[in-house]
Amino acid sequence: MSDQLDQLKAELLELALEAAHRAGVLLRDGRPDDLGVAATKTSAVDVVTEMDLASEKLITGYLS
């Protein structure tokens, strides 16, 4: 049972690392010159950019 659990953990880690890598590439290479603020969170200076939303969508889509 422990071997199966270790294998599952390794597969999930690999999946998470690939999702993070893809999001990193998107954020590094896909940033537009006119990056806009999509929303704010707790204050006017705590912003959520369009790229934040795009990377979140990429990660959740990849993991699903």
Side-chain angles (χ1 to χ4, degrees):
M1 177 75 171
S2 179
D3 289 340
Q4 289 177 331
L5 185 56
D6 289 342
Q7 179 63 32
L8 177 60
K9 287 180 182 179
E11 289 173 13
L12 291 174
L13 177 58
E14 185 178 332
L15 184 68
L17 290 171
E18 180 60 25
H21 174 75
R22 290 178 182 215
V25 169
L26 172 73
L27 292 170
R28 182 191 66 211
D29 297 341
R31 185 178 189 275
D33 291 335
D34 61 343
L35 180 64
V37 173
T40 58
K41 294 190 288 187
T42 58
S43 70
V45 296
D46 190 8
V47 298
V48 178
T49 67
E50 295 168 358
M51 291 302 293
D52 294 329
L53 297 176
S55 64
E56 181 179 347
K57 184 177 179 180
L58 183 148
I59 291 170
T60 56
Y62 183 78
L63 293 178
S64 65

